[in-house]
């Protein structure tokens, strides 16, 4: 394990335990088994350390989103199945990283104060990923979106659905209830975004003939 990884692991534990405001560089150094001077060699301040932790959380969430979309697509899921899986994986990863901390709301708030640029950077990355997934799945499955709806617009609507659900669940807690309600929102949204009149229809199976079946003849039938 690299020194940076060890420091970030230790810092995550400290921030979860004490929140941002009550955490210190000294606590993070002690948790990492380093001196304060050694930690300062990698991070110049508590704020810089917090930003690095947040950036790693977003990278892990983005990786979880991509992996979940790929797995659901490989299993032959519908567009709704794939988007629900990918978005839930991303948000579930973020929620799990802070699960059990008594300072979840403070950490999310400080996230926006200390790392708003990172929030905006990854919000754009998440939107790009969702739009790419929609484009790819629609092409593969022959789906057509309603008039005026593009993959980018649908991705934007997905993000608005996420934000709307977040408003009912501060800091995405409790996570299980948050993800359940979000799934309902997303499935309803996606069903309304697809043009039902332009979807591929499954071919009707042709009746099979049984060559071994012979016509039954009655005793009085003429040959």
């Amino acid at each position: 394990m690299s020194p940076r990884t060890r420091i970030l692991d230790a810092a995550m534990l400290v921030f979860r335990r004490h929140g941002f405001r009550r955490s210190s560089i000294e606590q993070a150094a002690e948790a990492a088994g380093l001196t304060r001077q050694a930690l300062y060699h990698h991070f110049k301040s508590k704020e810089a350390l917090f930003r690095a932790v947040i950036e790693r959380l977003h990278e892990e969430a983005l990786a979880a989103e991509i992996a979940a979309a790929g797995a659901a697509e490989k299993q032959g899921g519908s567009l709704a199945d794939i988007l629900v899986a990918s978005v839930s994986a991303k948000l579930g990863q973020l929620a799990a990283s802070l699960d059990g901390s008594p300072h979840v709301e403070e950490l999310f708030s400080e996230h926006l104060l200390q790392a708003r640029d990172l929030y905006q950077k990854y919000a754009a990355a998440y939107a790009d990923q969702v739009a790419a997934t929609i484009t790819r799945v629609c092409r593969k499955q022959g789906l057509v979106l309603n008039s005026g709806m593009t993959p980018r617009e649908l991705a934007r609507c997905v993000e608005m659905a996420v934000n709307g659900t977040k408003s009912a669940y501060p800091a995405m807690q409790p996570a299980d209830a948050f993800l359940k309600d979000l799934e309902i929102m997303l499935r309803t949204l996606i069903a309304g975004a697809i043009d039902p009149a332009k979807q591929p229809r499954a071919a009707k199976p042709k009746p099979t003939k049984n060559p071994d079946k012979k016509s039954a003849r009655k005793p009085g039938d003429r040959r």
Side-chain angles (χ1 to χ4, degrees):
M1 180 186 297
S2 70
R4 180 182 176 86
T5 298
R6 185 170 57 168
I7 291 170
L8 292 179
D9 288 346
M12 187 67 210
L13 292 175
V14 170
F15 288 133
R16 281 169 54 101
R17 186 176 302 150
H18 303 290
F20 174 78
R21 300 184 191 95
R22 294 186 179 182
S23 295
S24 66
I25 283 287
E26 289 79 8
Q27 290 169 328
E30 181 180 357
L34 300 172
T35 65
R36 183 177 63 178
Q37 288 73 20
L39 193 148
Y40 274 128
H41 177 72
H42 296 276
F43 300 99
K44 301 302 182 183
S45 65
K46 180 177 75 171
E47 289 74 17
L49 180 57
F50 184 69
R51 283 175 57 86
V53 168
I54 293 299
E55 185 165 26
R56 186 172 74 165
L57 290 182
H58 279 302
E59 284 293 335
E60 291 172 346
L62 184 58
E65 179 178 34
I66 293 171
E73 191 173 344
K74 188 175 181 180
Q75 292 172 0
S78 66
L79 178 60
D81 293 333
I82 294 166
L83 291 182
V84 166
S86 62
V87 174
S88 296
K90 174 192 74 175
L91 297 174
Q93 179 72 28
L94 290 172
S97 66
L98 301 176
D99 187 41
S101 170
H103 307 285
V104 174
E105 292 190 34
E106 179 204 340
L107 292 171
F108 271 103
S109 176
E110 288 296 334
H111 165 207
L112 296 178
L113 290 174
Q114 303 293 336
R116 179 169 291 276
D117 59 320
L118 292 177
Y119 173 81
Q120 294 171 338
K121 170 186 173 181
Y122 284 98
Y126 295 138
D128 288 344
Q129 176 60 33
V130 172
T133 298
I134 294 169
T135 300
R136 184 176 65 254
V137 174
C138 284
R139 183 177 64 251
K140 286 185 176 180
Q141 299 186 4
L143 304 177
V144 178
L145 300 179
N146 282 319
S147 178
M149 178 68 74
T150 65
R152 178 66 61 178
E153 282 297 315
L154 181 52
R156 179 170 171 270
C157 290
V158 167
E159 183 60 25
M160 287 191 290
V162 171
N163 291 334
T165 310
K166 281 181 181 178
S167 67
Y169 293 90
M172 300 187 289
Q173 299 296 321
D176 289 346
F178 164 71
L179 292 174
K180 182 179 179 181
D181 281 357
L182 176 60
E183 178 175 355
I184 294 172
M185 290 281 287
L186 291 178
R187 289 189 181 280
T188 303
L189 169 65
I190 296 161
I194 296 174
D195 188 339
K198 296 181 180 180
Q199 302 318 307
R201 296 180 180 180
K204 293 183 179 180
K206 296 181 179 180
T208 57
K209 296 181 179 180
N210 188 347
D212 296 330
K213 187 176 180 181
K214 297 180 180 179
S215 301
R217 295 178 180 273
K218 295 181 180 180
D221 287 347
R222 293 181 179 178
R223 294 183 178 272

